[in-house]
Coordinates of all heavy atoms in Angstrom, one line a residue:
M1 N 89.6 100.2 124.9 CA 90.0 98.9 124.4 C 89.2 98.5 123.2 O 88.0 98.7 123.2 CB 89.9 97.8 125.5 CG 90.4 96.5 125.1 SD 90.4 95.3 126.4 CE 90.8 93.9 125.5
Q2 N 89.8 98.0 122.2 CA 89.1 97.6 121.0 C 88.7 96.1 121.1 O 89.6 95.2 121.4 CB 90.0 97.8 119.8 CG 89.4 97.6 118.5 CD 90.3 98.0 117.4 OE1 91.1 98.8 117.5 NE2 90.1 97.4 116.2
D3 N 87.5 95.7 120.8 CA 87.0 94.3 120.9 C 87.3 93.6 119.6 O 87.4 92.3 119.6 CB 85.6 94.3 121.2 CG 85.3 94.7 122.7 OD1 86.2 94.7 123.5 OD2 84.1 95.1 122.9
T4 N 87.4 94.2 118.5 CA 87.6 93.6 117.2 C 88.9 94.0 116.6 O 89.3 95.2 116.8 CB 86.5 93.9 116.2 OG1 86.4 95.3 116.0 CG2 85.1 93.3 116.7
V5 N 89.6 93.1 116.0 CA 90.9 93.5 115.4 C 90.9 93.3 113.9 O 91.9 93.7 113.3 CB 92.1 92.6 116.0 CG1 92.2 92.9 117.5 CG2 91.9 91.2 115.8
G6 N 89.9 92.7 113.4 CA 89.9 92.5 111.9 C 88.5 92.0 111.4 O 87.6 92.0 112.2
R7 N 88.5 91.7 110.2 CA 87.3 91.3 109.5 C 87.6 90.1 108.6 O 88.6 90.0 108.0 CB 86.8 92.5 108.7 CG 85.6 92.1 107.8 CD 85.2 93.4 107.1 NE 84.3 94.1 108.0 CZ 83.6 95.2 107.7 NH1 83.7 95.7 106.5 NH2 82.9 95.7 108.5
I8 N 86.6 89.2 108.6 CA 86.7 88.0 107.7 C 85.4 87.9 106.9 O 84.3 87.9 107.6 CB 86.9 86.7 108.5 CG1 88.3 86.8 109.2 CG2 86.9 85.5 107.6 CD1 88.5 85.7 110.2
L9 N 85.4 87.9 105.6 CA 84.3 87.8 104.8 C 84.4 86.7 103.7 O 85.5 86.5 103.1 CB 84.1 89.1 104.0 CG 84.0 90.4 104.8 CD1 84.1 91.6 104.0 CD2 82.6 90.4 105.5
K10 N 83.3 86.0 103.5 CA 83.3 85.0 102.4 C 82.7 85.6 101.2 O 81.7 86.3 101.2 CB 82.4 83.8 102.8 CG 82.5 82.7 101.8 CD 81.7 81.4 102.2 CE 81.9 80.3 101.3 NZ 81.2 79.1 101.7
T11 N 83.4 85.5 100.0 CA 82.9 86.0 98.8 C 81.9 85.0 98.2 O 82.1 83.9 98.0 CB 84.1 86.1 97.8 OG1 85.1 86.9 98.4 CG2 83.7 86.8 96.5
L12 N 80.7 85.6 98.0 CA 79.6 84.8 97.5 C 79.3 84.8 96.0 O 78.6 83.9 95.5 CB 78.3 85.2 98.3 CG 78.4 85.1 99.8 CD1 77.1 85.6 100.4 CD2 78.6 83.6 100.2
H13 N 79.7 85.9 95.4 CA 79.4 86.1 94.0 C 80.7 86.4 93.2 O 81.7 86.8 93.7 CB 78.4 87.2 93.8 CG 77.2 87.0 94.7 ND1 76.2 86.2 94.4 CD2 76.8 87.6 95.8 CE1 75.3 86.2 95.3 NE2 75.6 87.1 96.2
G14 N 80.5 86.2 91.8 CA 81.6 86.6 91.0 C 82.7 85.5 90.8 O 82.5 84.4 91.2
T15 N 83.8 85.9 90.1 CA 84.8 84.9 89.8 C 85.5 84.4 91.0 O 86.1 83.3 91.0 CB 85.8 85.5 88.8 OG1 86.4 86.6 89.4 CG2 85.1 85.9 87.5
E16 N 85.5 85.1 92.1 CA 86.2 84.7 93.3 C 85.2 84.1 94.4 O 85.6 83.9 95.5 CB 87.0 85.8 93.9 CG 88.1 86.3 93.0 CD 88.9 87.4 93.6 OE1 88.5 88.0 94.6 OE2 90.0 87.6 93.0
A17 N 84.0 83.7 94.0 CA 83.0 83.1 94.9 C 83.6 81.9 95.6 O 84.3 81.1 94.9 CB 81.8 82.7 94.1
G18 N 83.4 81.8 96.9 CA 83.9 80.7 97.7 C 85.2 81.0 98.3 O 85.6 80.2 99.2
T19 N 85.9 82.1 98.0 CA 87.1 82.4 98.7 C 86.8 83.3 99.9 O 85.7 83.8 100.0 CB 88.1 83.1 97.7 OG1 87.5 84.4 97.3 CG2 88.4 82.3 96.5
W20 N 87.8 83.4 100.7 CA 87.7 84.2 101.9 C 88.6 85.4 101.9 O 89.8 85.3 101.5 CB 88.0 83.4 103.1 CG 87.0 82.3 103.4 CD1 86.9 81.1 102.7 CD2 85.8 82.3 104.2 NE1 85.8 80.4 103.2 CE2 85.2 81.1 104.1 CE3 85.4 83.3 105.1 CZ2 84.0 80.8 104.8 CZ3 84.2 83.0 105.8 CH2 83.5 81.8 105.7
F21 N 88.1 86.6 102.3 CA 88.9 87.8 102.4 C 89.1 88.1 103.9 O 88.1 88.0 104.7 CB 88.2 89.0 101.7 CG 88.8 90.3 101.9 CD1 90.0 90.6 101.2 CD2 88.4 91.2 102.9 CE1 90.6 91.8 101.4 CE2 89.0 92.4 103.1 CZ 90.1 92.7 102.3
W22 N 90.3 88.5 104.3 CA 90.5 88.9 105.6 C 91.3 90.3 105.7 O 92.0 90.6 104.7 CB 91.3 87.9 106.4 CG 92.7 87.6 105.9 CD1 93.1 86.7 105.0 CD2 93.9 88.4 106.3 NE1 94.4 86.8 104.8 CE2 94.9 87.8 105.6 CE3 94.1 89.4 107.2 CZ2 96.2 88.3 105.7 CZ3 95.4 89.9 107.3 CH2 96.5 89.3 106.6
S23 N 91.1 91.0 106.7 CA 91.8 92.3 106.9 C 92.0 92.5 108.4 O 91.2 92.1 109.2 CB 91.1 93.4 106.2 OG 89.9 93.7 106.9
C24 N 93.1 93.1 108.7 CA 93.4 93.5 110.1 C 93.4 95.0 110.2 O 94.0 95.7 109.4 CB 94.9 93.0 110.4 SG 95.3 93.3 112.1
Y25 N 92.6 95.5 111.2 CA 92.4 96.9 111.4 C 93.7 97.6 111.7 O 94.0 98.7 111.3 CB 91.4 97.2 112.4 CG 90.0 96.6 112.1 CD1 89.2 96.2 113.1 CD2 89.5 96.6 110.8 CE1 87.9 95.7 112.8 CE2 88.3 96.1 110.5 CZ 87.5 95.7 111.6 OH 86.2 95.2 111.3
E26 N 94.6 96.9 112.5 CA 95.9 97.5 112.9 C 96.9 97.3 111.8 O 97.3 96.1 111.5 CB 96.4 96.8 114.2 CG 95.6 97.1 115.4 CD 95.8 98.5 115.8 OE1 96.9 99.1 115.7 OE2 94.8 99.1 116.4
G27 N 97.3 98.3 111.0 CA 98.3 98.2 110.0 C 97.8 98.0 108.6 O 98.6 98.1 107.7
G28 N 96.6 97.6 108.5 CA 96.0 97.4 107.1 C 96.3 96.2 106.4 O 96.1 96.1 105.2
A29 N 96.9 95.2 107.0 CA 97.2 93.9 106.3 C 95.9 93.3 105.9 O 94.9 93.3 106.5 CB 98.0 93.0 107.2
N30 N 96.0 92.5 104.7 CA 94.8 91.8 104.2 C 95.2 90.8 103.3 O 96.4 90.7 102.8 CB 93.8 92.8 103.6 CG 94.3 93.5 102.4 OD1 94.5 92.9 101.3 ND2 94.6 94.8 102.5
G31 N 94.3 89.9 102.9 CA 94.6 88.8 102.0 C 93.3 88.1 101.6 O 92.2 88.3 102.1
R32 N 93.5 87.3 100.6 CA 92.4 86.4 100.1 C 92.9 85.0 100.1 O 93.9 84.7 99.5 CB 92.0 86.9 98.7 CG 90.7 86.2 98.2 CD 90.2 86.8 96.9 NE 89.9 88.2 97.0 CZ 88.7 88.7 97.6 NH1 87.8 87.9 98.0 NH2 88.5 90.0 97.6
V33 N 92.1 84.1 100.7 CA 92.5 82.7 100.9 C 91.4 81.7 100.6 O 90.3 82.2 100.4 CB 93.1 82.5 102.3 CG1 94.4 83.2 102.5 CG2 92.1 82.9 103.4
S34 N 91.7 80.5 100.6 CA 90.7 79.4 100.2 C 89.8 79.0 101.3 O 88.7 78.6 101.0 CB 91.5 78.2 99.7 OG 92.2 78.5 98.5
T35 N 90.2 79.1 102.5 CA 89.4 78.6 103.6 C 89.3 79.6 104.8 O 90.1 80.5 104.9 CB 90.0 77.3 104.3 OG1 91.2 77.6 104.9 CG2 90.3 76.2 103.2
K36 N 88.2 79.4 105.6 CA 88.0 80.3 106.7 C 89.1 80.2 107.7 O 89.6 81.2 108.3 CB 86.7 80.0 107.4 CG 86.3 80.9 108.5 CD 85.0 80.6 109.1 CE 84.6 81.4 110.2 NZ 83.4 81.1 110.9
D37 N 89.6 78.9 107.9 CA 90.7 78.8 108.9 C 92.0 79.6 108.4 O 92.6 80.1 109.3 CB 91.1 77.3 109.0 CG 90.0 76.5 109.8 OD1 89.2 77.1 110.5 OD2 90.0 75.2 109.6
E38 N 92.2 79.6 107.2 CA 93.4 80.4 106.7 C 93.1 81.9 106.9 O 94.1 82.6 107.2 CB 93.6 80.1 105.2 CG 94.1 78.8 104.9 CD 94.2 78.5 103.4 OE1 93.2 78.6 102.7 OE2 95.3 78.3 102.9
A39 N 91.9 82.3 106.8 CA 91.6 83.7 107.0 C 91.7 84.1 108.5 O 92.3 85.1 108.8 CB 90.1 84.0 106.6
V40 N 91.3 83.2 109.4 CA 91.5 83.4 110.8 C 93.0 83.5 111.1 O 93.4 84.4 111.8 CB 90.8 82.3 111.6 CG1 91.2 82.4 113.1 CG2 89.3 82.3 111.5
F41 N 93.7 82.6 110.6 CA 95.2 82.6 110.8 C 95.8 83.9 110.3 O 96.7 84.5 110.9 CB 95.8 81.4 110.1 CG 97.3 81.4 110.2 CD1 97.9 81.0 111.4 CD2 98.1 81.8 109.2 CE1 99.3 81.0 111.6 CE2 99.5 81.8 109.3 CZ 100.1 81.4 110.5
G42 N 95.4 84.4 109.1 CA 95.9 85.7 108.6 C 95.7 86.8 109.5 O 96.6 87.6 109.7
V43 N 94.4 86.9 110.0 CA 94.1 88.1 111.0 C 95.0 87.9 112.2 O 95.6 88.9 112.7 CB 92.6 88.1 111.3 CG1 92.4 89.1 112.4 CG2 91.8 88.5 110.1
E44 N 95.0 86.7 112.8 CA 95.8 86.5 114.0 C 97.2 86.8 113.8 O 97.9 87.4 114.7 CB 95.6 85.0 114.5 CG 94.2 84.8 115.0 CD 94.0 83.3 115.4 OE1 94.9 82.4 114.9 OE2 93.1 83.0 116.1
R45 N 97.8 86.3 112.7 CA 99.2 86.6 112.5 C 99.5 88.1 112.3 O 100.5 88.6 112.9 CB 99.7 85.8 111.3 CG 101.2 86.0 111.0 CD 101.7 85.1 109.9 NE 101.1 85.6 108.7 CZ 101.2 85.1 107.5 NH1 101.9 84.0 107.4 NH2 100.7 85.6 106.4
A46 N 98.7 88.7 111.5 CA 98.9 90.2 111.3 C 98.8 91.0 112.5 O 99.6 91.9 112.8 CB 97.9 90.7 110.2
Y47 N 97.8 90.7 113.4 CA 97.6 91.4 114.6 C 98.7 91.2 115.6 O 99.3 92.1 116.2 CB 96.3 91.0 115.2 CG 96.0 91.9 116.5 CD1 95.7 93.2 116.4 CD2 96.1 91.3 117.7 CE1 95.4 94.0 117.5 CE2 95.8 92.1 118.9 CZ 95.5 93.4 118.7 OH 95.3 94.2 119.9
T48 N 99.2 89.9 115.7 CA 100.3 89.6 116.5 C 101.5 90.3 116.1 O 102.3 90.8 117.0 CB 100.5 88.0 116.5 OG1 99.4 87.4 117.0 CG2 101.7 87.7 117.4
R49 N 101.8 90.4 114.8 CA 103.0 91.1 114.3 C 102.9 92.6 114.7 O 103.9 93.2 115.1 CB 103.1 91.0 112.8 CG 103.5 89.6 112.4 CD 103.7 89.5 110.9 NE 104.8 90.2 110.4 CZ 106.1 89.8 110.4 NH1 106.4 88.6 110.9 NH2 107.0 90.6 110.0
R50 N 101.7 93.2 114.7 CA 101.6 94.6 115.2 C 101.8 94.7 116.7 O 102.4 95.7 117.1 CB 100.2 95.1 114.8 CG 99.9 95.2 113.3 CD 100.8 96.2 112.6 NE 100.4 97.6 113.1 CZ 101.0 98.7 112.7 NH1 102.0 98.6 111.8 NH2 100.7 99.8 113.1
V51 N 101.2 93.8 117.4 CA 101.4 93.9 118.9 C 102.8 93.8 119.3 O 103.3 94.5 120.2 CB 100.5 92.8 119.6 CG1 100.8 92.7 121.1 CG2 99.0 93.1 119.4
V52 N 103.6 92.9 118.7 CA 105.0 92.7 119.1 C 105.9 93.6 118.3 O 107.1 93.6 118.5 CB 105.5 91.2 119.0 CG1 104.6 90.3 119.9 CG2 105.5 90.8 117.6
K53 N 105.3 94.4 117.4 CA 106.1 95.4 116.6 C 107.1 94.7 115.8 O 108.2 95.2 115.6 CB 106.7 96.5 117.5 CG 105.6 97.3 118.2 CD 106.1 98.3 119.2 CE 104.9 99.1 119.7 NZ 105.0 99.6 121.0
A54 N 106.8 93.6 115.2 CA 107.7 92.8 114.4 C 108.2 93.6 113.1 O 109.2 93.3 112.6 CB 107.1 91.5 114.0
D55 N 107.3 94.5 112.6 CA 107.7 95.2 111.4 C 108.3 96.5 111.6 O 108.5 97.3 110.7 CB 106.4 95.3 110.5 CG 105.9 93.9 110.1 OD1 106.7 93.0 109.9 OD2 104.6 93.8 110.1
W56 N 108.5 96.9 112.9 CA 109.1 98.2 113.2 C 110.6 98.1 113.1 O 111.2 97.1 113.4 CB 108.7 98.7 114.6 CG 107.3 99.1 114.6 CD1 106.2 98.6 113.9 CD2 106.7 100.0 115.6 NE1 105.1 99.2 114.3 CE2 105.4 100.0 115.3 CE3 107.2 100.7 116.6 CZ2 104.5 100.9 116.0 CZ3 106.4 101.5 117.3 CH2 105.0 101.6 117.1
R57 N 111.2 99.2 112.7 CA 112.7 99.3 112.5 C 113.2 100.4 113.4 O 112.7 101.3 113.7 CB 113.1 99.5 111.1 CG 112.7 98.3 110.3 CD 113.0 98.4 108.9 NE 112.5 97.1 108.3 CZ 112.7 96.7 107.2 NH1 113.6 97.4 106.4 NH2 112.2 95.7 106.7

């Protein structure tokens, strides 16, 4: 069983300083958002979509 499903990082330097990057290990979904809450939501949504196989055809 896997204990972690994704990663959330705050950008500290450069032109995107202060933004948040998220990625989901299952399926490789990722994004860059303004707040930590949005990053948490991104990981949760991406992982849920993989679990329920929402993107499978």
Side-chain angles (χ1 to χ4, degrees):
M1 182 175 172
Q2 186 173 335
D3 290 339
T4 57
V5 298
R7 171 179 278 187
I8 297 172
L9 303 167
K10 185 174 186 179
T11 305
L12 300 176
H13 306 285
T15 59
E16 296 183 344
T19 62
W20 292 82
F21 172 80
W22 65 269
S23 64
C24 183
Y25 299 144
E26 293 288 327
N30 64 71
R32 189 169 302 278
V33 292
S34 299
T35 68
K36 184 178 178 182
D37 288 341
E38 290 174 300
V40 170
F41 178 76
V43 172
E44 289 176 343
R45 184 177 66 184
Y47 184 71
T48 299
R49 289 182 67 83
R50 292 296 291 179
V51 169
V52 301
K53 299 179 175 148
D55 297 325
W56 288 26
R57 295 181 184 192

